[in-house]
Amino acid sequence: MIWGRKGKFTFAEIVKATDDFDDKYCIGKGGFGSLYRAELPTGIVVAVKRLNISNSSDILAENLRSVENEIKALTEAKHRNIIKLYGFCHTEEHAHLVYEYAERGSLGKVLYGEEMKTVLSWPQRVKIVQGITQAIAYLHNDCIPQVVHRDVTLNNILLDSEYEPRLADFGIAKLLTPNSTTWSSIAGSYGYMAPELAQTTQVTEKCDVYSFGVVVLEILLGKHPGDFLATLPSMENPQVLVKDVIDQRFPPPPARLGEAIAFIMTIALACTRTHPESRPTMHFVAQQFSAIEQTSLVEPLSTISLNKLTRFHM
C-alpha cells in the first residue's frame, strides 16, 4: 500500500488500471523494462517502471543494483525538480517503481517529437534550464552522501503540464562517499558522457556538469551539439554570432531575454570544457542562473559572437 499526497492506493489497483500491464498503457521502453501510465479510480495518475528480473544471475544482479540505486537516491532526494518516488513493489518476475506522472513526457519528446507543433518558447527553455540546474546542484551539494546522476540526458528529464522539469531515471546514479569515486563499468548515454570517462572509471560530479552542459546547449540549439562542439574552435572568430547558431526554427529572443540566452550558452560552454578541473561546479552554475533576469551582457544578441562566450573565466 502506498500513501501519496492525494491519498492511498495499492499495487493491485495499479495492475487493474493497466490491465496487467497491457502494451496499450506503455509510454516508454528501456534496456531493462518498460514504463506504464496508470490512472487509478481516485483520479490519481502515476507512472510505473516495470523492470524485468531475468533468470540470468548477471542480469538479475544488474537489475537489482539499478533498482536499489534508484530507491536510495530518490528516497533521500526531496526537491521540486526531481521526480517523486511514491513506492516500490517486487514480485517473482518483476520489480516495480511507482512515480509521479509527468504529463508532457521527456524533454527529448517535447523538443523533437509531435510536441514540435507547439515549439518551446525561449522563456520556457530558460525555465527548464533553471529547473535542471537546481536539481543537479541539489544532488551535488545538499544530499549526504553526494549523488552523481551519471546519465543526464534529454530523455531523463521529464516535463509536467506547466513545462516544469523533473530529473528522472537514477538507475545508474552513484552515491559518492569519500573513498568511492570509482565505478566498475562505464555507464551513461552516448553523446552526453564526459570525455574523461573514455580513459578512466573515475566518477566525479564534473561528469554530471559536462552532461548538463550538453543538454543545455541542445535546448538552445534545438539539436544535439556534437557537431557544434567539434567545430567550435574553427568558429572562434567575431563573424560567428550567437543568433546564427541557436535554434533557427523560430525568431530569436527579444533584447533582454536574448542577453539571458547568451549568458546561459556562456556557462553551458564552460561546462563542456575537456578538462574536468576547468568546468564550473553546479553550485556556481546555480548561483549564476538564479539571477538570470538581472544578467546583462551590455550588447544585444544580434552582435554577440561565440568568440566572446568562449573566453568566459570563472
Side-chain angles (χ1 to χ4, degrees):
M1 181 174 291
I2 299 170
W3 288 86
R5 182 167 55 86
K6 298 179 181 178
K8 65 180 181 179
F9 55 94
T10 64
F11 181 71
E13 289 177 298
I14 292 175
V15 173
K16 184 176 180 180
T18 57
D19 292 339
D20 198 12
F21 298 99
D22 190 282
D23 280 349
K24 65 184 178 182
Y25 295 98
C26 183
I27 56 175
K29 293 191 176 182
F32 292 138
S34 302
L35 189 68
Y36 296 83
R37 180 185 185 276
E39 184 171 354
L40 304 173
T42 57
I44 297 175
V45 179
V46 296
V48 186
K49 181 189 290 185
R50 192 184 207 207
L51 299 175
N52 299 319
I53 303 298
S54 168
N55 289 329
S56 166
S57 59
D58 291 339
I59 298 178
L60 174 61
E62 192 168 355
N63 281 348
L64 291 179
R65 189 184 306 119
S66 176
V67 173
E68 182 179 303
N69 286 341
E70 186 129 7
I71 292 173
K72 283 181 178 179
L74 292 177
T75 299
E76 297 299 325
K78 305 293 181 185
H79 191 280
R80 62 177 297 183
N81 295 116
I82 294 177
I83 202 76
K84 292 181 179 65
L85 175 66
Y86 289 144
F88 163 75
C89 182
H90 182 268
T91 62
E92 186 175 345
E93 296 181 350
H94 300 94
H96 304 82
L97 293 166
V98 184
Y99 308 89
E100 67 173 316
Y101 178 69
E103 292 87 343
R104 296 191 181 275
S106 73
L107 176 55
K109 173 187 173 184
V110 174
L111 198 60
Y112 299 124
E114 295 180 1
E115 293 279 346
M116 280 308 301
K117 296 174 182 176
T118 55
V119 180
L120 280 173
S121 68
W122 289 115
Q124 286 171 330
R125 296 188 196 210
V126 171
K127 177 181 179 180
I128 290 168
V129 168
Q130 287 177 309
I132 301 166
T133 303
Q134 293 299 325
I136 302 175
Y138 170 83
L139 293 175
H140 289 186
N141 300 291
D142 298 321
C143 290
I144 302 175
Q146 177 190 43
V147 176
V148 176
H149 187 281
R150 301 181 74 243
D151 199 20
V152 179
T153 70
L154 257 66
N155 289 332
N156 288 338
I157 296 165
L158 308 178
L159 301 177
D160 68 12
S161 59
E162 302 298 321
Y163 293 95
E164 188 73 39
R166 302 282 194 279
L167 185 61
D169 204 341
F170 286 73
I172 59 172
K174 178 67 173 172
L175 285 75
L176 290 186
T177 53
N179 298 313
S180 65
T181 56
T182 57
W183 192 260
S184 58
S185 62
I186 294 177
S189 297
Y190 178 75
Y192 298 89
M193 284 190 294
E196 63 267 22
L197 290 179
Q199 287 85 34
T200 177
T201 55
Q202 191 80 9
V203 177
T204 73
E205 70 277 4
K206 292 300 182 72
C207 299
D208 279 354
V209 173
Y210 182 89
S211 301
F212 165 81
V214 173
V215 165
V216 173
L217 289 174
E218 191 165 1
I219 292 170
L220 298 183
L221 273 58
K223 60 183 179 181
H224 190 277
D227 292 339
F228 170 80
L229 290 172
T231 58
L232 188 60
S234 65
M235 294 191 289
E236 289 183 1
N237 64 73
Q239 283 68 48
V240 180
L241 302 176
V242 174
K243 72 177 182 66
D244 295 327
V245 298
I246 58 175
D247 201 332
Q248 301 292 301
R249 291 173 292 185
F250 59 109
R256 190 68 177 176
L257 186 57
E259 293 176 12
I261 295 297
F263 183 70
I264 289 173
M265 180 173 284
T266 300
I267 301 298
L269 288 170
C271 290
T272 56
R273 289 169 178 163
T274 302
H275 301 291
E277 61 274 10
S278 66
R279 299 171 201 151
T281 65
M282 288 307 301
H283 178 68
F284 174 85
V285 176
Q287 285 184 321
Q288 297 298 306
F289 286 174
S290 63
I292 197 73
E293 290 79 9
Q294 285 74 51
T295 297
S296 177
L297 296 179
V298 182
E299 301 176 48
L301 182 67
S302 59
T303 64
I304 299 176
S305 69
L306 277 176
N307 184 43
K308 178 177 181 177
L309 269 54
T310 55
R311 295 200 305 265
F312 174 77
H313 294 287
M314 294 174 283

